Amino acid sequence: MNKEVKLEDIVSLAKRRGFIYQGSEVYGGLSGTWDYGPLGVALKRNIMNLWWQMFVEDRDDMYGVDAAILMNQKVWQASGHVDTFTDPLVECSNCHARHRQDKLEDANKCPTCGQTGTFGEARAFNMMFKTNVGPVADESSISYLRPETAQGIFTNYKNVVDSFYPDLPFGIAQQGKAFRNEISPRDFVFRSREFEQMEVEYFVHPEKWEEAFEQWRKDIEVFLDKLGLPRESVEEVEVPENDRAHYSKRTIDYEFAFPHGKDELLGLAYRTDFDLGNIQRVSGKTMEYRVKGSDETFVPHVIEPSFGVERALMAVLTSAYREDEQNGEKRIYLALPEHLAPVKYAVSPLLKNKPELVEKAREVYQMLKKKYGAVMWDDNGNIGKRYRRQDEIGTPHCVVIDFQTLEDGTVTVRDRDTTEQRRVEATVLYQ
Ligand code: GAP
């Protein structure tokens, strides 16, 4: 990995090349929100699809759900989020800026105006976005934009058990939007107010949670390898009891060496029977699991691997970002794993004013598109410029059609990382 990656390099590349734009930019933006451009969407989907394939499709013990974002307010009362999903907020009496107390570099100094001793008592600020469902705004119509996808899984636990009656252990997976009214969104998409999670609630026999926890550590490592994150850039950090979320008896934070410093990429938590127990208590419906062929019943315990898509994407970009020199010129490229690259092949005619080259290039382009889908037609500027552009978006292969192609059907294929070019029969690429 390039050790010198700066946050501004990533932000500027992401904007310049159409990965990520500021949310509502045309109106001056909306803090903590981001919009994904054509390449950002492709990269994000590739990450999410990889996760879904590895943790749902390739396994026999996993069930996918897609629950509503708006949920009955009882969900958030029972889960403890209404009472405890808070961050400590302090306000500067000089400039009135508000900050998250536990993230201040100097607990006494306001980072906005530089004054010291201007903070009053911290107050607990609830991070859930509150809204009302329906035309009457009263207590009974209160709802929240979900701050985690997990609760949409827990509330469907019974449905999945009744429909599929799976053996324990089994998991329910969900990907989707989550919202937190962060006091200080920061570090590009790292801390946003609207983001996406990929979560599994893995239901186990209460006595077997440690085994499952250890297995998840291994599975997470495999996934992080597939994202192309160097092992040395990720560290497992055991979270001490006083820093753990209210529902957790053990948590490991996976910290990644982001450009802004080491910070949480994802979490692995042992949530005990906290959530199913609460649902059972508040709803009055049993969440007990009956072991097949026996009378043994219990409320399952839960292991929860929880991934943030934006943080995964930032870690992928950070790991892939490279600068080198080619023919005396600085080059920026993204050494993305091929399965994550938004574009797999770029196809160009050597000269765009030669109809015979364009026609042949179109033919090759169509064939590659049929095979790979994510193929880009690129005839803007000279070949050197096209290579630079494709390097910056991480396209592993650039195919150029020239006069020799018309004679013998061969094309040049240029490799993004080595910049080496080889001549191959075009048909070999798509057969
Ligand atoms: N269900 C458990 C849960 O939500 P969390 O540690 O609060 O646990 C899980 O969040 C993951 O969601 C984090 O590790 C991170 O990847 C992502 N995440 C949380 N807050 C975020 C934010 N404000 N912006 C972007 N990603 C966030």
Side-chain angles (χ1 to χ4, degrees), residues 63 65 150-166 168 170-172 201-204 275-277 279-280 285-290 298-302:
Y63 298 80
V65 294
Q151 294 304 324
I153 296 179
F154 289 123
T155 47
N156 279 296
Y157 158 80
K158 190 84 175 74
N159 288 333
V160 172
V161 169
D162 289 347
S163 308
F164 298 91
Y165 201 11
L168 279 187
F170 74 93
I172 305 182
E201 306 306 325
Y202 199 68
F203 301 96
V204 299
D275 299 274
L276 291 184
I279 293 176
Q280 181 165 273
K285 301 196 172 89
T286 179
M287 294 293 129
E288 291 205 335
Y289 179 89
R290 190 172 56 76
F298 50 84
V299 175
H301 281 214
V302 169

Side-chain angles (χ1 to χ4, degrees), residues 148 180 182 190 192 197 199 247 264-266 304 306 308:
E148 61 169 11
R180 295 183 189 178
E182 295 282 352
F190 180 87
S192 315
Q197 288 187 320
E199 299 198 297
Y247 48 72
E264 181 187 330
L265 167 64
L266 67 107
E304 177 196 64
S306 175

Side-chain angles (χ1 to χ4, degrees), residues 1 17 86 213 324:
M1 185 169 91
R17 292 298 180 201
T86 58
F213 196 93
D324 66 4

Side-chain angles (χ1 to χ4, degrees), residues 166-197:
D167 287 325
L168 279 187
F170 74 93
I172 305 182
Q174 175 164 229
Q175 298 184 331
K177 291 270 187 180
F179 304 81
R180 295 183 189 178
N181 197 3
E182 295 282 352
I183 296 168
S184 325
R186 62 182 171 88
D187 301 319
F188 197 30
V189 296
F190 180 87
R191 192 172 301 286
S192 315
R193 290 186 166 132
E194 175 177 341
F195 55 97
E196 228 154 334
Q197 288 187 320

Side-chain angles (χ1 to χ4, degrees), residues 17-19 21 36-43 342:
R17 292 298 180 201
F19 282 86
Y21 310 112
Y36 284 76
L39 298 178
V41 163
L43 178 56

